[in-house]
Amino acid sequence: MQFYSLPENTVWTEVAPGNRRAVLSERPELMLVAFSFDEGAVGALHSHPHTQVSYVAEGAFDVTVDGVTTRLEQGGSFIVAPNLVHGVVALMKGLLIDTFTPRRDDFL
Protein backbone atom coordinates (compact mmCIF):
# COMPACT_ATOMS: atom_id res chain seq x y z
CA MET A 1 0.00 0.00 0.00
CA GLN A 2 1.36 3.42 -0.94
CA PHE A 3 0.96 6.17 1.67
CA TYR A 4 2.89 9.03 0.03
CA SER A 5 2.91 10.81 -3.30
CA LEU A 6 6.05 12.66 -4.39
CA PRO A 7 5.93 15.62 -6.80
CA GLU A 8 8.63 14.14 -9.03
CA ASN A 9 6.38 11.11 -9.64
CA THR A 10 3.31 13.15 -10.60
CA VAL A 11 1.98 12.31 -14.08
CA TRP A 12 -0.12 14.99 -15.81
CA THR A 13 -2.73 14.03 -18.42
CA GLU A 14 -4.27 16.52 -20.85
CA VAL A 15 -8.05 16.49 -20.37
CA ALA A 16 -9.02 19.26 -22.80
CA PRO A 17 -7.25 22.27 -24.32
CA GLY A 18 -5.68 24.19 -21.43
CA ASN A 19 -6.78 21.65 -18.81
CA ARG A 20 -4.53 18.96 -17.27
CA ARG A 21 -5.18 16.42 -14.51
CA ALA A 22 -2.85 14.61 -12.09
CA VAL A 23 -3.92 11.89 -9.67
CA LEU A 24 -2.02 12.72 -6.47
CA SER A 25 -3.19 9.93 -4.15
CA GLU A 26 -5.83 7.25 -4.29
CA ARG A 27 -7.44 4.30 -2.59
CA PRO A 28 -10.72 2.63 -3.56
CA GLU A 29 -12.70 4.76 -1.11
CA LEU A 30 -11.02 8.15 -1.74
CA MET A 31 -9.02 10.02 -4.39
CA LEU A 32 -7.08 13.33 -4.49
CA VAL A 33 -6.63 14.96 -7.92
CA ALA A 34 -5.07 18.23 -9.13
CA PHE A 35 -6.56 20.03 -12.14
CA SER A 36 -4.46 22.75 -13.78
CA PHE A 37 -6.23 25.30 -16.00
CA ASP A 38 -4.92 27.92 -18.39
CA GLU A 39 -6.80 31.22 -18.47
CA GLY A 40 -10.10 30.73 -20.28
CA ALA A 41 -9.95 26.91 -20.12
CA VAL A 42 -13.21 25.09 -19.48
CA GLY A 43 -14.00 22.12 -17.31
CA ALA A 44 -17.07 21.10 -19.32
CA LEU A 45 -20.42 20.49 -17.64
CA HIS A 46 -20.68 16.85 -16.60
CA SER A 47 -21.91 14.56 -13.83
CA HIS A 48 -20.71 11.39 -12.11
CA PRO A 49 -21.88 9.17 -9.26
CA HIS A 50 -19.07 10.30 -6.91
CA THR A 51 -19.22 12.95 -4.20
CA GLN A 52 -16.68 15.66 -5.04
CA VAL A 53 -15.14 18.41 -2.92
CA SER A 54 -12.95 20.98 -4.69
CA TYR A 55 -10.55 23.60 -3.33
CA VAL A 56 -9.34 26.59 -5.37
CA ALA A 57 -5.59 26.46 -4.70
CA GLU A 58 -4.73 29.13 -7.29
CA GLY A 59 -6.61 31.51 -9.59
CA ALA A 60 -10.32 32.23 -9.95
CA PHE A 61 -13.14 30.23 -11.50
CA ASP A 62 -16.78 30.57 -12.42
CA VAL A 63 -18.16 27.36 -10.91
CA THR A 64 -21.54 25.96 -11.93
CA VAL A 65 -23.23 23.32 -9.76
CA ASP A 66 -26.80 22.22 -10.49
CA GLY A 67 -27.46 25.28 -12.68
CA VAL A 68 -26.15 27.88 -10.21
CA THR A 69 -22.94 29.73 -11.08
CA THR A 70 -20.70 31.29 -8.41
CA ARG A 71 -17.32 32.98 -8.76
CA LEU A 72 -14.70 31.44 -6.48
CA GLU A 73 -11.16 32.67 -5.94
CA GLN A 74 -8.10 31.22 -4.22
CA GLY A 75 -9.12 29.74 -0.87
CA GLY A 76 -12.72 29.04 -1.93
CA SER A 77 -14.23 25.59 -2.17
CA PHE A 78 -17.33 23.78 -3.35
CA ILE A 79 -19.02 20.42 -2.97
CA VAL A 80 -20.87 18.41 -5.61
CA ALA A 81 -23.36 15.73 -4.58
CA PRO A 82 -23.51 12.57 -6.70
CA ASN A 83 -24.99 12.99 -10.20
CA LEU A 84 -25.30 16.81 -10.10
CA VAL A 85 -24.25 18.56 -13.31
CA HIS A 86 -21.24 20.80 -12.71
CA GLY A 87 -18.33 22.48 -14.47
CA VAL A 88 -15.88 25.40 -14.29
CA VAL A 89 -14.41 28.19 -16.39
CA ALA A 90 -10.96 29.48 -15.45
CA LEU A 91 -10.96 33.29 -15.27
CA MET A 92 -7.16 33.21 -14.99
CA LYS A 93 -4.54 30.49 -14.78
CA GLY A 94 -5.55 28.32 -11.85
CA LEU A 95 -5.37 25.08 -9.92
CA LEU A 96 -8.17 23.05 -8.36
CA ILE A 97 -7.53 20.29 -5.83
CA ASP A 98 -10.40 17.79 -5.99
CA THR A 99 -11.33 14.88 -3.78
CA PHE A 100 -13.66 12.11 -4.90
CA THR A 101 -15.38 9.41 -2.94
CA PRO A 102 -15.33 6.68 -3.95
CA ARG A 103 -12.26 6.78 -6.21
CA ARG A 104 -12.79 7.70 -9.88
CA ASP A 105 -11.48 4.55 -11.52
CA ASP A 106 -11.87 6.22 -14.94
CA PHE A 107 -8.95 8.51 -13.98
CA LEU A 108 -6.55 5.59 -13.47
Side-chain angles (χ1 to χ4, degrees):
M1 182 181 321
Q2 183 176 2
F3 291 106
Y4 304 99
S5 176
L6 302 174
E8 58 267 22
N9 297 331
T10 300
V11 176
W12 289 90
T13 302
E14 185 170 355
V15 177
N19 180 352
R20 300 181 311 143
R21 169 182 74 221
V23 174
L24 302 177
S25 297
E26 55 86 13
R27 290 187 38 85
E29 64 275 9
L30 185 64
M31 175 180 261
L32 183 67
V33 181
F35 282 90
S36 174
F37 291 84
D38 292 341
E39 182 176 345
V42 174
L45 290 173
H46 65 286
S47 66
H48 45 73
H50 313 82
T51 297
Q52 173 181 336
V53 177
S54 298
Y55 174 75
V56 181
E58 298 174 5
F61 295 83
D62 278 344
V63 178
T64 301
V65 178
D66 199 27
V68 177
T69 301
T70 302
R71 184 158 293 172
L72 293 176
E73 297 179 354
Q74 184 175 352
S77 64
F78 61 98
I79 191 165
V80 182
N83 302 309
L84 288 184
V85 174
H86 59 285
V88 301
V89 176
L91 304 174
M92 61 183 65
K93 182 177 176 169
L95 181 69
L96 295 177
I97 304 298
D98 293 355
T99 57
F100 298 94
T101 185
R103 171 180 67 199
R104 295 235 6 210
D105 289 338
D106 57 317
F107 286 3
L108 299 177

